Each structure stands twice: as structure tokens, then as C-alpha cells.
């Protein structure tokens, strides 16, 4: 009904301009044509805005759906790799944790967070509260980051380790309190320009000495594969 009224009004104005053209010439008629176009824009402004919003909503949803599909693909392909790495190294549990930025302080400096995305455990190993690794402030693990960037790994040998509990005592106490593990290997996922996160191999209190060099050699190969897999699903 409203559209019919708009069309009728526009037709009336156009007919009037045709008459003006006959009587006043083309230049004057063109001036009035500009007026008509302005009127059309005014009448259709709401429709134009609505359509524009809907258009961008469709684009946004398409992009979001595409990213979620990539995330689903990543999780599907990453799970078996993590389980393989855990089994090959003899770890009781493996955690795949990603960095993300979601908040800022009052002067606009972002916080860096860690989120547990996937885990795999050996049969019979106890569960732990995964919410403890949700939006974890990365500052808690920051003491090990320089060494992670430098060598790609950090080892906590538990009771066999005299250095880790002293150098990284906050990390050692924190991880043990979170999930009960006493020995860990922290592996860096470097990404390309932006770090992806870390992988943690864990052993529970039944400690024994391990071939840490072999564990690191095995892990390096898997870190390269996992890093490549994650990047292949990225839009960066």
C-alpha cells in the first residue's frame, strides 16, 4: 500500500517535470529531476538502511559460519594427532591450549588469555575440571615463555628436577594445583608472526625417570605438524 502511494506520487512528479520540460527547457527539467531523485531517496531511506543492515548481516554470518567450519575441521583433525603424540611420548595426559585476546585494562592494553581447546588422556587417568583452564590469564605461565620461544620446550622433571621448582616455582605449583600432574613438558606452538599457544604433556604422581631427549625429539616432529595444521585452517 505504502509502496503504491510512493510510486503514484513519483509518477505525478515525473509527469509534472515532463510538462516543465515542454514549457521551460531541458536544463530546468533536469534540475527538477534532481529534486525527484532526492525525494525518492527520502522515501526509500528506511528500506535502503534495512536492506544494507540485512546485507552486512548475511556477510557477517557467512564469514562466521566459514570460520566455525574451519574450527570444526581443525578439532576433527587435531584430536588424533594429540592422542598420537601422547601415546608416543608415554604421557598420561596432553593439553592443547590456545592464546586469545578478549579484554583490555583501563588504558587500553589487552590481556593475553589461555583457553584449553582439546585434551587427551591415557585410559584410567583421572579427569580434571577443564573449566580451570578457561580464560586463564597468560601471565601465570609467563615465566616460561622466554625459554619456550628460545628452545621450543621447557621440561619439569618433578622430584628429579632441582632447577624447575626454583626457576619456575609459580608454574610448577600452579599446574599441580590445577590437575594434579607432577611432571610436564611445555611445547611452544609458534605460529608464523603470532604465537598460537602451547601444548602440555603431563605425567601424574607415579614418577619415574624418563628419556627426556627422546620425548623432545618426538614432540618436535608433532609440533611442526600441529603448527602447520592450525595455520592451514587460519585466515591469517
Amino acid at each position: 500500500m505504502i509502496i503504491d502511494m510512493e510510486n503514484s506520487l513519483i509518477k505525478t512528479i515525473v509527469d509534472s517535470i515532463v510538462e516543465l520540460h515542454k514549457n521551460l527547457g531541458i536544463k530546468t527539467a533536469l534540475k527538477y529531476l534532481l529534486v525527484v531523485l532526492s525525494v525518492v531517496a527520502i522515501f526509500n531511506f528506511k528500506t535502503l538502511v534495512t536492506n544494507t543492515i540485512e546485507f552486512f548481516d548475511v556477510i557477517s554470518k557467512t564469514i562466521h559460519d566459514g570460520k566455525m567450519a574451519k574450527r570444526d575441521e581443525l578439532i576433527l583433525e587435531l584430536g588424533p594427532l594429540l592422542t598420537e603424540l601422547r601415546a608416543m611420548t608415554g604421557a598420561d595426559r596432553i593439553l592443547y591450549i590456545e592464546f586469545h585476546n578478549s579484554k583490555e585494562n583501563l588504558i587500553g592494553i589487552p590481556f593475553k588469555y589461555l583457553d584449553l581447546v582439546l585434551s587427551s588422556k591415557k585410559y584410567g587417568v583421572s579427569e580434571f575440571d577443564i573449566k580451570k583452564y578457561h580464560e586463564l590469564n597468560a601471565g601465570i605461565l609467563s615465566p616460561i615463555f622466554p625459554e619456550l620461544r628460545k628452545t621450543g620446550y621447557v621440561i619439569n622433571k618433578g622430584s628429579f628436577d632441582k632447577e624447575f621448582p626454583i626457576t619456575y616455582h609459580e608454574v610448577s605449583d600452579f599446574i599441580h594445583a590445577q590437575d594434579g600432574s607432577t611432571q610436564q613438558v611445555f611445547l611452544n606452538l609458534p605460529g608464523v608472526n603470532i604465537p598460537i599457544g602451547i601444548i602440555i604433556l603431563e605425567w601424574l604422581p607415579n614418577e619415574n625417570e624418563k628419556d627426556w631427549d627422546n620425548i623432545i625429539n618426538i614432540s618436535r616432529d608433532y609440533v611442526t605438524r600441529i603448527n602447520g595444521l592450525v595455520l592451514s585452517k587460519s585466515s591469517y
Side-chain angles (χ1 to χ4, degrees):
M1 181 68 178
I2 294 173
I3 294 173
D4 290 341
M5 289 174 62
E6 290 175 2
N7 291 340
S8 177
L9 179 58
I10 292 168
K11 184 178 185 303
T12 302
I13 295 172
V14 171
D15 289 342
S16 299
I17 289 175
V18 171
E19 290 301 315
L20 283 171
H21 168 51
K22 291 178 182 176
N23 297 318
L24 301 176
I26 185 64
K27 287 185 179 181
T28 304
L30 287 174
K31 288 179 183 178
Y32 280 99
L33 179 58
L34 289 174
V35 174
V36 174
L37 292 175
S38 299
V39 171
V40 170
I42 291 169
F43 274 115
N44 287 280
F45 179 74
K46 185 176 180 181
T47 302
L48 180 64
V49 170
T50 301
N51 289 342
T52 302
I53 292 172
E54 288 176 355
F55 177 68
F56 281 107
D57 280 347
V58 169
I59 291 176
S60 178
K61 186 177 184 303
T62 301
I63 292 172
H64 176 73
D65 289 350
K67 287 183 175 180
M68 289 307 294
K70 289 288 186 184
R71 168 61 77 179
D72 291 342
E73 288 176 13
L74 173 61
I75 289 173
L76 206 60
E77 295 174 41
L78 186 57
L81 267 180
L82 294 175
T83 300
E84 230 179 87
L85 173 55
R86 178 190 56 72
M88 292 291 290
T89 56
D92 292 322
R93 191 159 49 213
I94 186 170
L95 310 179
Y96 169 76
I97 298 171
E98 290 183 348
F99 292 120
H100 73 90
N101 295 328
S102 62
K103 299 173 184 176
E104 297 179 346
N105 66 12
L106 294 179
I107 58 172
I109 299 174
F111 294 107
K112 182 180 282 187
Y113 284 89
L114 294 163
D115 255 332
L116 175 64
V117 177
L118 276 176
S119 65
S120 171
K121 68 182 185 69
K122 187 186 293 183
Y123 178 77
V125 170
S126 59
E127 299 285 352
F128 68 98
D129 186 2
I130 62 173
K131 288 184 288 187
K132 290 182 177 180
Y133 285 100
H134 175 62
E135 291 210 343
L136 183 67
N137 193 319
I140 295 169
L141 300 183
S142 62
I144 67 172
F145 290 164
E147 187 65 21
L148 271 179
R149 285 193 291 268
K150 181 181 175 183
T151 64
Y153 65 90
V154 173
I155 302 173
N156 174 18
K157 301 175 184 177
S159 60
F160 299 95
D161 202 322
K162 303 305 178 188
E163 184 180 335
F164 191 94
I166 296 171
T167 308
Y168 308 116
H169 64 90
E170 305 99 327
V171 177
S172 178
D173 293 345
F174 175 77
I175 295 294
H176 179 65
Q178 291 296 94
D179 58 33
S181 64
T182 55
Q183 294 175 306
Q184 304 93 22
V185 171
F186 301 85
L187 302 167
N188 186 36
L189 279 176
V192 178
N193 298 317
I194 302 171
I196 295 167
I198 59 175
I199 292 171
I200 308 176
L201 294 166
E202 297 186 328
W203 288 264
L204 297 182
N206 53 338
E207 291 185 8
N208 50 51
E209 189 57 275
K210 297 170 177 62
D211 186 347
W212 298 107
D213 289 339
N214 186 50
I215 288 170
I216 293 304
N217 287 334
I218 292 169
S219 298
R220 279 184 173 138
D221 175 57
Y222 278 90
V223 164
T224 301
R225 292 164 64 187
I226 290 168
N227 199 64
L229 173 62
V230 177
L231 289 174
S232 73
K233 307 301 180 184
S234 168
S235 56
Y236 292 96

